[in-house]
Amino acid sequence: TRSTRPQRLLKVVQKRATRGDPQSVISAVDHFCRHSEWAMNVGDEKGSILDSVVSELSPEKVLELGTYCGYSTVRIARLLPPGARLITLEFNADYAAIARQVIAWAGLEDKVQLVEGASEDWIPRMKEHYGIETFDFVFLDHWKDRYLPDTKLMEDCGLLRKGTVLLADNVICPGFPDYLEYVRNSLSYKSCYFKSHLKYTKAEDGLEKSVFLG
Ligand SMILES: CCc1ncnc2c1ncn2[C@@H]1O[C@H](/C=C/CNC(=O)c2cc(-c3ccc(F)cc3)cc(O)c2O)[C@@H](O)[C@H]1O
Ligand SMILES: [Mg+2]
């Protein structure tokens, strides 16, 4: 049977990228998406905004919601300080299998824990299963109607602390109006919008950065 798009993306990474070199993995995926096939990863333009937020924060404990093929996982993990950990949740087994191999090719498997399952099942288990008290940084990039319920769940589970940064992809396209209204109007968040473009297109898109105030 015909291969899937994630399988083709992995082949390009294994063909063009150097093992253990995260930047070459990022470039290989960008090349694949720009020249071969569109895939729903954050892309290079928004990716560099993600890089600057992570570099500035230097977080120890990171949560990513929606791994897909692991592109943003690699972007984040390559910037983390020694000893820092990134937990990424992905409930599609096929995507998770591809992402594991992309993360391993980048040589970042020691920093990344890919958990296969639904966010609502695993957010409540972060303390007991992974010894996480609170997260320093959360990247939201899964189904857009899950951003708000999962953020409220993280609040209820006490996983956010004063200063925790939430960064959400796709403010405009596909968009998440309920989450945006919440973080922009809630007294518990200080929110700002990083305008960018939908990867490799002229269409506007952006990232919403929201700091939890406790
Ligand atoms: C149950 C909770 C839960 N738990 C664990 N994993 C979960 C999950 N819910 C979802 N996943 C996984 O996350 C990923 C989904 C990502 C969804 N992302 C977009 O839809 C998107 C679309 C465009 C775009 C599409 C078409 C256009 F024309 C323009 C833009 C651009 C973007 O940047 C986009 O992120 C997949 O791996 C899911 O398996
Ligand atoms: Mg996205």
Side-chain angles (χ1 to χ4, degrees):
T1 55
R2 184 167 155 66
S3 65
T4 66
R5 178 169 302 170
Q7 285 168 335
R8 293 193 293 274
L9 180 146
L10 174 62
K11 286 274 165 299
V12 167
V13 165
Q14 293 171 333
K15 185 159 154 267
R16 301 179 71 97
T18 310
R19 253 197 178 288
D21 174 1
Q23 191 52 56
S24 72
V25 169
I26 293 164
S27 306
V29 175
D30 284 337
H31 186 274
F32 173 77
C33 293
R34 188 183 293 279
H35 301 294
S36 315
E37 310 183 42
W38 191 89
M40 62 183 172
N41 50 52
V42 72
D44 53 353
E45 193 178 315
K46 287 188 287 176
S48 54
I49 297 169
L50 169 63
D51 289 357
S52 56
V53 172
V54 172
S55 302
E56 186 191 323
L57 205 57
S58 228
E60 298 286 323
K61 301 274 180 294
V62 178
L63 176 66
E64 176 181 58
L65 301 177
T67 316
Y68 189 41
C69 295
Y71 175 83
S72 48
T73 321
V74 168
R75 286 202 81 114
I76 296 167
R78 84 193 201 283
L79 299 173
L80 295 182
R85 277 197 298 158
L86 191 167
I87 296 176
T88 183
L89 304 186
E90 174 54 58
F91 72 176
N92 179 304
D94 299 328
Y95 294 161
I98 297 291
R100 281 188 208 288
Q101 295 173 79
V102 169
I103 293 158
W105 198 268
L108 293 166
E109 59 273 45
D110 297 345
K111 288 179 179 286
V112 177
Q113 184 122 28
L114 194 160
V115 178
E116 205 172 311
S119 50
E120 70 267 22
D121 298 337
W122 282 96
I123 285 171
R125 294 186 201 153
M126 280 299 145
K127 287 189 201 297
E128 51 160 334
H129 269 254
Y130 298 103
I132 299 275
E133 282 310 307
T134 56
F135 285 106
D136 305 313
F137 178 68
V138 183
F139 183 56
L140 299 94
D141 195 20
H142 55 337
W143 294 150
K144 308 314 161 193
D145 62 357
R146 304 293 317 169
Y147 284 23
L148 183 54
D150 284 347
T151 297
K152 289 184 169 172
L153 185 57
M154 286 188 285
E155 287 175 17
D156 297 346
C157 295
L159 287 168
L160 307 182
R161 51 126 174 116
K162 198 191 263 305
T164 296
V165 169
L166 307 186
L167 189 67
D169 186 30
N170 308 115
V171 172
I172 311 283
C173 177
F176 36 75
D178 58 345
Y179 173 85
L180 210 54
E181 200 265 337
Y182 180 72
V183 289
R184 288 181 175 175
N185 299 324
S186 160
L187 295 176
S188 302
Y189 293 91
K190 185 174 173 341
S191 211
C192 63
Y193 175 53
F194 289 81
K195 185 172 175 220
S196 181
H197 295 90
L198 182 69
K199 44 181 253 161
Y200 323 122
T201 73
K202 291 272 169 289
E204 180 184 342
D205 192 19
L207 301 162
E208 188 77 4
K209 178 186 172 187
S210 309
V211 184
F212 186 62
L213 302 174

